[in-house]
């Protein structure tokens, strides 16, 4: 009984393992037309034969059609003319490949005039064959180029008219759209009359656009910007002008503050050709900073086309960055440190040492110190009360309470902080007071400075 | 039986081997189907699994190479398309997936190609994508949004660890929140938490800002808190604060000695007070605690401990009245008691035999009824330094060695008999067997009194009454014991008693030895003297 069961099990497994059936190629292809058995190669035509297995795909006819047309399109060679705009400008290898791939894709997208020669199927496969006459293809392509050039040329002329009128924003839009019209033919030699001369059209268009763009510049109101951290900051208003120093409205611009990496201000010039950059976030201690503004050509292009090829192509036009040096003027602090010491300890120099430590910390952070309160932007007034040291056997303890007030230059209190019970211990009374002040200095550096002075900037 | 299980095992092995091979073949077949349908990812995955299972099968590797390369080309085209559309993130991650797949497949020995152009596309996409992310990360760091910034720099780091200053920004995004937390704790005087936050930073990057200096300052502030508590004699708060510092850095300034002082000073002070007020035992224990914790150098704790010990010592004179009828056992009782008191190692009790101190007083006290003579007691106190007399009065003592009791009993021996037909029956034969029994016993009643030599006051009084006994009972039969059954007498005739067979068998196999009266005595004396010693040790004359 058991043996029979095991035998059955083995048979079942074997059957599962070796159930594959081989079908001969000859039987499968019996009755197939010549174009199935051998790829056609008539020189007057572009050919495309597509085959798709039937078993796994329900849309195999459509899939086969796509395969055939892709093959047909792939057989149309893409050649880049030596006088095309693609060869005129210098692109890196990756960009060149990108443009060529796009030209190839547009060839597929605009494939017209092809004819269905036949289809054939067996149990497992579906075959289809298209072809396109080379003469017909050239005719269609010339017609498309002609239409594109006509459309583009009228936009180009309009762009130039706008540029002549100083309407640069409008002009740029038309330049971009003019290029968009001929985007499928940037590998071709598109010759046309410009200014009465036979000129490579796309090159002329791009050169004109670049010249117009490069004629624009950003002018700052001053040669250098002085900023004092913590002071009320007025926005900077640079202006975009053309070569005749006329203000240009409607131009997208962007500004960067070198001290705030990752932050960018985007704006569009107003009717006076101006835009605003707020020089916020300046901290004491910064040096050699700058505001960098550029005419945002990417944005200009993106606003006028969503075509990636066009956007990428315009990247070839390089524009200058305009820089305004920024000098950080250190804020000035007046420091006053006074302590009420027990009468017997009046000769201690803890005040002076604390005062010196505060000055050191502030200077380290890029803050200037003035002993003339009238010239200071802020005053830091520190008042400390030292309790009489208490003796405990051979040791002494003392405690200090300090009040720290931050005043503006009008004497108004801005912030205040109280530090209670700062303890000191030592083998003598004086030593215990000095120890308490040592703690006070640490607390000033670790907590008071970040809490009441840093937020000013 | 063994042959059968080996066969089953062999069949199972064959089936499982066939099945493994079969599964792999099925996988490869399925992969081929996917490949034919242009589903290269699925095909490559199945070929990969098949190649991992059967590494020597060249067809699977070829299939993997073919389908894998097609899959890679598909991904490469995704990378390229994403790049063309400006979807740089997708381009980057598609490429990384591609690279991951190629790395995975390499384990099978198949090397899938990644075209240079795809790699260049990836590098460009990566540069653009990471630049965008980097800018965002920088902005978030500027805005102190460290959590979000960290996520971004972690992503950049994973893709390209050396991208610009990613490491530095990642460090800042990770460590700066801890640095600031530390400052907050410090500001709230939570110095140890501040210390620990900064310590976490130092563990990752010891050079981060002034974090090492801050750790020292936090520790110093906590140390000072402890020192001030100590100066103000808030010893428990001082011990907590100084303990915190000590645990982190035992060598920090004089924290060790201060911590010892914070822990021991309150104990020291209490012990001195106890010593002054005559509570020498408590004082002694306090000084002992200090010496155990701080060694013998804490102030004059060692000297004072000895002083407390002298003051707390409690010399006892042992007066054991004669034991009725057994003088030798009385002496044994006394000896065991002395031994136990000594073994208890109680630092305060000093035990003496009254007989060794003063024979005259011994004679006067022995057999005395009522209270002891006060004058004599005082004499023991003043002349011999004895604090108390421990009086043992044995009001009853009996040690009995029982005699062996014999009884002849009637029983039946049962024998099985088989007749000619093989049928089994029993034949019971009436027999006699002997039953023996003996009981040994020791019984004692002792009254214990501890009498102050200074006042004559009875400090402790206990009465102990205890009996210790042992009994043996067994039966002896000369015949086949296991066939012996007891008998019952009914109507002047003996009948076999099957119900009590087990009881008789127990008697027949019972132990025939018995604990001797002296062994019973030793046990009894030991138990009693443990109790008496315990009572003495727990008795505190200073209470």
């Amino acid at each position: 009984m058991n043996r029979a069961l095991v035998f059955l099990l083995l048979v079942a497994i074997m059957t599962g393992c070796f159930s594959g059936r081989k079908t001969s190629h000859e039987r499968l292809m019996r009755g197939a037309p010549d174009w199935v058995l051998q790829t056609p190669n008539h020189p007057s035509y572009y050919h495309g034969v597509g085959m798709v297995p039937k078993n796994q795909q329900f849309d195999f006819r459509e899939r086969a059609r796509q395969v055939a047309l892709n093959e047909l399109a792939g057989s149309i060679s893409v050649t880049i003319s030596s006088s095309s705009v693609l060869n005129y400008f210098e692109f890196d290898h990756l960009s060149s490949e990108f443009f060529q791939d796009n030209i190839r894709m547009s060839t597929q997208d605009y494939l017209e005039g092809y004819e269905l020669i036949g289809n054939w199927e067996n149990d497992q496969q579906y075959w289809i064959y298209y072809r396109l006459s080379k003469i017909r293809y050239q005719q269609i392509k010339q017609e498309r180029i002609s239409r594109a050039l006509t459309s583009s040329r009228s936009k180009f002329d309009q762009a130039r008219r706008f540029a002549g009128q100083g309407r640069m924003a409008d002009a740029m839009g038309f330049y971009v759209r003019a290029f968009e019209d001929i985007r499928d033919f940037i590998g071709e030699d598109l010759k046309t009359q410009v200014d009465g001369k036979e000129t490579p059209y796309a090159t002329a268009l791009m050169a004109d656009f670049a010249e117009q763009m490069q004629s624009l510049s950003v002018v700052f109101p001053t040669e250098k910007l002085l900023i004092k951290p913590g002071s009320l900051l007025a926005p900077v208003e640079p202006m975009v002008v053309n070569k005749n120093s006329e203000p240009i409205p409607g131009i997208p611009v962007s500004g960067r503050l070198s001290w705030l990496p990752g932050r960018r201000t985007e704006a569009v010039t107003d009717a006076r050709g101006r835009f605003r950059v707020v020089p916020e976030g300046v901290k004491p201690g910064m040096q050699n900073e700058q505001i960098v503004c550029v005419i945002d050509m990417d944005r200009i292009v993106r606003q006028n086309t969503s075509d990636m090829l066009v956007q990428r192509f315009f990247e070839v036009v390089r524009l200058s960055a305009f820089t305004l040096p920024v000098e950080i003027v250190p804020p000035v602090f007046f420091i006053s440190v006074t302590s009420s010491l027990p009468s017997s300890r009046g000769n201690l120099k803890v005040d002076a040492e604390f005062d010196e430590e505060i000055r050191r910390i502030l200077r380290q952070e890029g803050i200037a110190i003035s002993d003339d309160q009238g010239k200071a932007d802020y005053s830091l007034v520190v008042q400390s009360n030292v309790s009489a040291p208490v003796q405990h056997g051979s040791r002494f303890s003392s405690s200090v309470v300090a009040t720290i007030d931050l005043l503006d230059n009008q004497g108004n209190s801005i912030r205040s902080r109280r530090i209670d019970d700062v303890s000191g211990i030592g083998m003598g009374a004086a030593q215990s007071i000095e120890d308490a002040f040592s703690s006070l200095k640490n607390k000033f550096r670790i907590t008071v400075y970040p809490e009441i002075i840093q937020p000013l900037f | 039986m063994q042959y059968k299980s080996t066969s089953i095992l062999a069949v199972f092995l064959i089936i499982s081997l066939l099945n493994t091979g079969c599964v792999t073949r099925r996988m490869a077949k399925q992969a081929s189907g996917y490949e034919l349908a242009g589903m290269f990812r699925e095909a490559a995955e199945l070929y990969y699994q098949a190649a991992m299972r059967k590494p020597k099968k060249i067809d699977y590797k070829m299939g993997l190479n073919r389908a894998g390369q097609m899959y890679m080309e598909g991904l490469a085209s995704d990378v390229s398309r994403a790049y063309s559309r400006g979807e740089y993130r997708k381009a980057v991650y598609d490429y990384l997936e591609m690279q991951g797949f190629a790395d995975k497949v390499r384990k099978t020995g198949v090397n899938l190609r990644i075209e240079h152009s795809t790699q260049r596309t990836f590098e460009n996409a990566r540069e653009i994508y990471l630049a965008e992310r980097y800018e965002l990360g920088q902005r978030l760091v500027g805005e102190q949004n460290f959590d979000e910034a960290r996520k971004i720099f972690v992503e950049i780091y994973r893709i390209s660890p050396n991208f610009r200053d990613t490491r530095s920004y990642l460090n800042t995004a990770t460590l700066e929140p801890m640095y600031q937390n530390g400052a907050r704790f410090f500001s709230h005087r939570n110095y140890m938490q501040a210390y620990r936050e900064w310590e976490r930073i130092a563990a990752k990057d010891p050079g981060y800002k002034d974090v090492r200096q801050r750790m020292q300052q936090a520790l110093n502030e906590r140390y000072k808190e402890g020192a001030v508590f100590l100066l103000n004699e808030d010893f428990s708060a001082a011990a907590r604060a100084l303990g915190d510092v000590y645990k982190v850095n035992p060598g920090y300034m004089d924290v060790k000695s201060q911590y010892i002082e914070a822990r021991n000073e309150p104990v020291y002070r209490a012990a001195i007070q106890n010593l002054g007020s005559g509570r020498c035992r408590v004082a002694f224990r306090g000084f002992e605690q200090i010496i155990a914790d701080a060694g013998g150098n804490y102030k004059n704790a060692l000297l004072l401990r000895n002083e407390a010990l002298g003051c707390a010592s409690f010399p006892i004179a042992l007066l054991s009245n004669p034991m009725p009828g057994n003088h030798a056992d009385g002496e044994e009782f006394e000896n065991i008691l002395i031994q136990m008191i000594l073994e208890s190692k109680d630092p305060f009790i000093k035990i003496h035999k009254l007989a060794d101190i003063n024979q005259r007083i011994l004679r006067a006290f022995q057999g005395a009824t009522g209270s002891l003579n006060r004058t004599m007691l005082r004499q023991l106190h003043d002349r011999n330094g004895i604090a108390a007399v421990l009086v043992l009065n044995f009001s009853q003592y009996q040690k009995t060695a029982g005699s062996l009791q014999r009884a002849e009993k009637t029983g039946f021996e049962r024998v099985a008999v088989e007749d000619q037909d093989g049928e089994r029956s029993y034949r019971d034969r009436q027999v006699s067997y002997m039953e023996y029994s003996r009981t040994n016993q020791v019984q004692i009643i002792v009254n214990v009194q501890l009498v102050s030599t200074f006042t004559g006051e009875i400090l402790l009084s206990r009465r102990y009454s205890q009996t210790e006994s042992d009994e043996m009972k067994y039966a002896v039969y000369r015949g086949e014991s296991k066939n012996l059954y007891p008998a019952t007498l009914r109507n002047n005739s003996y009948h076999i008693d099957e119900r009590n067979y087990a009881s008789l068998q127990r008697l027949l196999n019972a132990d025939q030895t018995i604990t001797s009266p002296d062994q019973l005595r030793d046990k009894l004396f030991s138990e009693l003297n443990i109790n008496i010693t315990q009572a003495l040790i727990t008795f505190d004359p200073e209470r």
Side-chain angles (χ1 to χ4, degrees):
Chain A
M1 177 65 181
N2 281 344
R3 279 182 192 171
L5 200 66
V6 168
F7 178 74
L8 271 174
L9 195 61
L10 284 172
V11 167
I13 290 165
M14 299 295 202
T15 314
C17 288
F18 306 113
S19 63
R21 214 188 286 169
K22 287 185 182 166
T23 308
S24 72
H25 181 71
E26 290 75 19
R27 197 185 66 77
L28 200 63
M29 305 310 275
R30 199 173 295 150
D34 291 347
W35 55 266
V36 169
L37 299 173
Q38 193 176 10
T39 309
N41 60 355
H42 194 292
S44 306
Y45 293 94
Y46 297 116
H47 307 276
V49 176
M51 186 284 284
V52 164
K54 287 160 74 176
N55 52 348
Q56 312 257 354
Q57 298 171 34
F58 71 93
D59 60 342
F60 59 87
R61 286 187 182 80
E62 179 53 27
R63 288 264 302 167
R65 196 179 83 88
Q66 283 168 10
V67 171
L69 290 178
N70 283 349
E71 192 183 298
L72 193 152
S75 66
I76 301 170
S77 58
V78 174
T79 50
I80 307 297
S81 162
S82 59
S83 53
S84 75
V85 70
L86 266 184
N87 275 330
Y88 183 81
F89 290 104
E90 279 185 13
F91 293 101
D92 59 38
H93 183 73
L94 194 69
S95 299
S96 295
E97 271 186 2
F98 169 78
F99 293 128
Q100 285 181 39
D101 285 348
N102 269 275
I103 295 168
R104 214 169 279 127
M105 278 181 340
S106 76
T107 308
Q108 288 175 18
D109 291 346
Y110 290 97
L111 207 56
E112 291 176 50
Y114 52 83
E115 52 187 325
L116 172 67
I117 301 301
N119 54 23
W120 179 79
E121 61 188 297
N122 58 26
D123 291 349
Q124 295 178 22
Q125 298 164 336
Y126 179 79
W127 295 74
I128 194 162
Y129 170 30
Y130 287 101
R131 76 177 181 187
L132 170 61
S133 151
K134 289 184 178 173
I135 294 167
R136 177 82 183 113
Y137 171 73
Q138 281 306 324
Q139 278 173 353
I140 292 169
K141 186 174 163 187
Q142 279 311 318
E143 282 167 19
R144 282 183 60 215
I145 290 175
S146 175
R147 279 199 303 272
L149 266 177
T150 308
S151 168
S152 175
R153 184 58 205 260
S154 69
K155 286 172 187 150
F156 178 37
D157 292 342
Q158 184 60 44
R160 295 181 109 196
R161 272 194 296 278
F162 278 139
Q165 293 161 10
R167 293 169 63 182
M168 289 303 292
D170 296 328
M172 285 167 197
F174 272 87
Y175 276 118
V176 173
R177 275 173 259 148
F179 190 85
E180 199 176 35
D181 285 341
I182 53 163
R183 50 98 65 204
D184 291 339
F185 311 109
I186 53 175
E188 305 288 333
D189 180 12
L190 303 174
K191 283 229 166 42
T192 188
Q193 291 275 327
V194 177
D195 298 334
K197 278 190 278 180
E198 185 81 349
T199 315
Y201 173 69
T203 309
L205 168 62
M206 284 305 293
D208 213 52
F209 172 79
E211 192 187 330
Q212 294 294 350
M213 288 298 294
Q214 285 158 358
S215 73
L216 301 178
S217 57
V218 176
V219 180
F220 294 100
T222 54
E223 282 186 8
K224 185 193 261 188
L225 183 65
L226 299 179
I227 304 179
K228 184 176 276 190
S231 60
L232 199 61
L233 295 172
V236 180
E237 288 200 348
M239 185 165 60
V240 174
V241 295
N242 63 12
K243 60 188 170 195
N244 302 322
S245 299
E246 292 160 343
I248 306 295
I251 301 295
V253 281
S254 71
R256 284 177 184 275
L257 310 172
S258 63
W259 60 92
L260 285 181
R263 287 268 280 274
R264 199 159 76 135
T265 305
E266 288 192 343
V268 176
T269 53
D270 62 15
R272 300 170 301 145
R274 292 179 188 276
F275 62 99
R276 287 180 160 207
V277 178
V278 182
E280 59 191 334
V282 181
K283 307 253 185 263
M286 290 175 170
Q287 283 174 346
N288 301 326
E289 302 296 346
Q290 53 192 24
I291 297 173
V292 181
C293 294
V294 290
I295 292 170
D296 195 344
M297 204 188 67
D298 282 353
R299 201 144 43 106
I300 294 170
V301 177
R302 279 202 312 274
Q303 281 170 357
N304 288 288
T305 180
S306 57
D307 188 327
M308 272 297 290
L309 180 139
V310 179
Q311 288 175 6
R312 289 283 294 277
F313 203 91
F314 274 85
E315 283 172 12
V316 76
V317 180
R318 305 275 175 205
L319 299 180
S320 305
F322 301 90
T323 303
L324 174 65
V326 177
E327 189 182 315
I328 314 295
V329 181
V332 182
F333 271 63
F334 169 79
I335 294 162
S336 161
V337 178
T338 51
S339 297
S340 62
L341 288 163
S343 54
S344 59
R345 304 291 160 192
N347 58 344
L348 280 174
K349 291 180 179 169
V350 284
D351 277 355
E353 285 169 5
F354 190 26
D355 183 282
E356 191 43 51
E357 176 66 5
I358 294 174
R359 284 166 190 262
R360 191 189 66 78
I361 293 168
L362 265 55
R363 279 196 201 103
Q364 199 177 32
E365 298 292 329
I367 293 169
I369 311 291
S370 170
D371 290 330
D372 181 352
Q373 193 168 11
K375 290 180 182 167
D377 302 304
Y378 303 98
S379 297
L380 194 67
V381 181
V382 182
Q383 172 64 48
S384 54
N385 278 305
V386 184
S387 63
V390 181
Q391 187 168 4
H392 315 259
S394 61
R395 291 185 139 198
F396 287 81
S397 73
S398 59
S399 89
V400 178
V401 174
T403 312
I404 297 149
D405 283 312
L406 182 66
L407 313 173
D408 65 11
N409 56 5
Q410 305 296 311
N412 303 314
S413 174
I414 305 173
R415 289 189 182 87
S416 183
R417 170 82 200 268
R418 185 183 155 93
I419 308 175
D420 291 319
D421 289 338
V422 182
S423 305
I425 47 171
M427 299 310 285
Q431 206 184 355
S432 74
I433 294 172
E434 282 163 359
D435 188 48
F437 269 87
S438 164
S439 278
L440 193 59
K441 286 178 205 168
N442 286 333
K443 289 190 184 213
F444 182 85
R445 187 168 56 83
I446 296 173
T447 66
V448 177
Y449 181 81
E451 284 173 21
I452 76 167
I453 300 177
Q454 247 175 11
L456 287 174
F457 313 115
Chain B
M1 182 66 184
Q2 199 184 351
Y3 170 75
K4 195 178 173 185
S5 26
T6 315
S7 308
I8 291 171
L9 194 68
V11 168
F12 262 112
L13 268 173
I14 291 165
I15 289 174
S16 81
L17 278 173
L18 279 173
N19 202 32
T20 312
C22 196
V23 166
T24 315
R25 263 195 296 278
R26 222 171 17 237
M27 243 176 211
K29 197 177 160 195
Q30 215 176 346
S32 162
Y34 278 128
E35 192 183 351
L36 208 61
M39 297 162 81
F40 299 112
R41 181 188 175 165
E42 290 78 1
E45 190 57 47
L46 283 168
Y47 276 132
Y48 167 74
Q49 287 176 26
M52 288 299 279
R53 281 165 179 250
K54 297 267 179 185
K56 287 182 182 166
K57 194 87 171 153
I58 198 79
D59 288 356
Y60 300 162
K61 286 189 183 175
M62 284 167 67
L64 174 59
N65 193 30
R66 215 168 41 237
Q69 202 55 58
M70 292 303 285
Y71 171 48
M72 296 282 276
E73 277 166 26
L75 279 175
S77 126
D78 286 350
V79 171
S80 167
R81 208 167 15 246
Y83 182 78
S84 306
R85 287 179 188 150
E87 296 167 354
Y88 300 114
R89 184 182 192 282
K90 183 170 164 34
V92 168
Y93 281 97
D94 280 352
Y95 180 86
L96 291 176
E97 187 186 337
M98 197 172 159
Q99 203 174 37
F101 185 73
D103 290 345
K104 182 171 106 170
V105 161
R106 201 165 294 124
K107 281 183 237 159
T108 63
V110 172
N111 282 317
L112 296 176
R113 256 184 354 268
I114 297 180
E115 297 293 338
H116 285 302
S117 59
T118 309
Q119 197 179 336
R120 274 202 307 279
T121 307
F122 160 70
E123 282 162 5
N124 278 28
R126 183 180 62 186
E127 186 63 29
I128 298 168
Y129 176 62
L130 293 191
E132 278 173 12
R133 300 296 285 166
Y134 188 82
E135 260 192 24
L136 177 60
Q138 281 182 318
R139 205 181 75 209
L140 291 167
V141 166
E143 289 165 1
Q144 310 238 320
N145 187 348
F146 296 114
D147 281 353
E148 290 304 313
R150 188 168 185 279
K151 285 178 198 161
I152 286 166
F153 285 112
V154 164
E155 183 195 11
I156 298 173
Y157 184 81
R158 282 190 188 137
I159 296 170
S160 176
N162 296 322
F163 189 78
R164 300 186 193 169
D165 283 335
T166 293
R167 283 170 198 269
S168 162
Y169 274 110
L170 185 56
N171 214 28
T172 303
T174 308
L175 304 181
E176 191 57 25
M178 291 186 229
Y179 185 78
Q180 292 181 4
N181 272 348
R184 258 191 299 279
F185 286 131
F186 190 89
S187 173
H188 292 116
R189 293 170 166 264
N190 207 334
Y191 299 119
M192 290 319 290
Q193 261 184 291
Y195 179 87
R196 281 188 280 274
E197 281 293 302
W198 289 328
E199 191 182 34
R200 280 169 63 202
I201 298 173
K204 290 175 197 285
D205 180 3
Y208 191 77
K209 293 187 173 176
D210 57 349
V211 73
R212 287 216 156 270
Q213 196 188 346
R214 287 189 171 208
M215 281 166 66
Q216 284 307 303
Q217 278 151 10
L219 209 58
N220 187 49
E221 288 303 322
R222 186 63 175 152
Y223 164 79
K224 281 208 293 188
E225 273 189 338
V228 171
F229 281 134
L230 191 59
L231 292 176
N232 293 326
E233 304 197 344
D234 183 347
F235 295 111
S236 56
R240 277 198 300 278
L242 294 165
D244 285 344
V245 180
Y246 181 79
K247 278 168 207 154
V248 168
N249 182 2
Y252 190 78
M253 294 172 77
D254 59 349
V255 71
K256 187 178 177 183
S257 63
Q258 296 237 29
Y259 185 35
I260 287 174
E261 189 180 341
R263 287 197 312 263
N264 291 298
E265 187 58 21
V267 184
Y268 178 79
R269 291 184 184 189
I272 286 183
Q273 208 175 4
N274 285 321
L275 191 61
S277 60
R279 302 189 66 201
C280 303
R281 288 188 174 209
V282 185
F284 172 81
R285 290 194 187 101
F287 291 126
E288 279 279 286
Q289 185 188 327
I290 291 166
I291 290 162
D293 183 58
N297 297 328
Y298 189 78
K299 297 189 172 174
N300 55 349
L302 194 60
L303 189 74
L304 292 176
R305 184 199 63 168
N306 294 339
E307 191 183 319
L309 182 60
C311 154
S313 72
F314 195 68
I316 296 172
L318 178 59
L319 167 61
S320 178
N321 282 310
M323 194 171 263
N326 198 328
H327 187 68
D329 282 2
E331 276 186 1
E332 184 64 18
F333 190 93
E334 189 180 33
N335 288 338
I336 292 173
L337 177 60
I338 290 170
Q339 188 190 339
M340 291 215 167
I341 289 170
L342 293 176
E343 279 173 2
S344 75
K345 290 192 167 59
D346 185 283
F348 311 119
I349 296 174
K350 313 287 175 206
I351 190 82
H352 305 271
K353 282 185 175 179
L354 185 55
D356 297 340
I357 298 171
N358 195 321
Q359 282 287 336
R360 188 176 59 84
I361 295 175
L362 174 71
R363 283 194 296 276
F365 283 178
Q366 260 181 345
T369 53
S371 28
L372 300 175
N373 181 304
R374 291 284 172 103
T375 314
M376 285 181 171
L377 282 173
R378 197 56 185 260
Q379 196 181 333
L380 279 173
H381 180 270
D382 296 344
R383 287 190 189 168
N384 304 107
I386 298 296
V389 178
L390 181 67
V391 185
L392 306 179
N393 277 319
F394 302 95
S395 54
Q396 191 185 334
Y397 181 69
Q398 205 170 16
K399 185 167 75 175
T400 315
S403 58
L404 188 64
Q405 305 292 317
R406 288 187 188 82
E408 189 177 341
K409 298 275 184 177
T410 301
F412 288 91
E413 188 178 335
R414 172 165 283 181
V415 182
V417 183
E418 211 164 294
D419 66 12
Q420 285 172 336
D421 302 328
E423 204 136 311
R424 210 180 161 108
S425 63
Y426 295 102
R427 196 181 69 214
D428 296 333
R429 179 169 66 90
Q430 189 173 323
V431 294
S432 293
Y433 65 93
M434 296 300 293
E435 263 189 23
Y436 300 92
S437 67
R438 175 184 278 181
T439 304
N440 289 343
Q441 193 180 53
V442 181
Q443 200 175 16
I444 191 168
I445 297 174
V446 59
N447 295 302
V448 180
Q449 278 192 341
L450 189 67
V451 182
S452 166
T453 51
F454 189 66
T455 60
E457 181 191 353
I458 297 170
L459 301 171
L460 181 76
S461 180
R462 296 274 192 281
R463 182 175 184 273
Y464 298 98
S465 168
Q466 208 164 321
T467 303
E468 207 53 59
S469 65
D470 191 24
E471 186 187 19
M472 68 169 184
K473 192 172 182 183
Y474 60 93
V476 174
Y477 176 54
R478 301 284 172 210
E480 192 62 54
S481 301
K482 67 174 190 296
N483 294 337
L484 182 66
Y485 283 75
T488 53
L489 186 63
R490 283 199 306 270
N491 303 327
N492 279 336
S493 153
Y494 284 102
H495 300 273
I496 191 161
D497 179 6
E498 288 180 340
R499 271 202 318 180
N500 288 311
Y501 170 77
S503 309
L504 177 58
Q505 288 300 316
R506 269 197 298 275
L507 278 180
L508 286 163
N509 295 312
D511 188 6
Q512 297 180 10
T513 60
I514 185 166
T515 313
S516 73
D518 282 350
Q519 284 172 318
L520 289 173
R521 175 204 62 196
D522 290 348
K523 190 171 175 231
L524 182 70
F525 284 7
S526 291
E527 282 173 9
L528 272 181
N529 280 322
I530 285 172
N531 292 338
I532 295 168
T533 307
Q534 199 57 36
L536 280 179
I537 290 170
T538 51
F539 169 70
D540 182 359
E542 295 168 0
R543 223 172 262 163

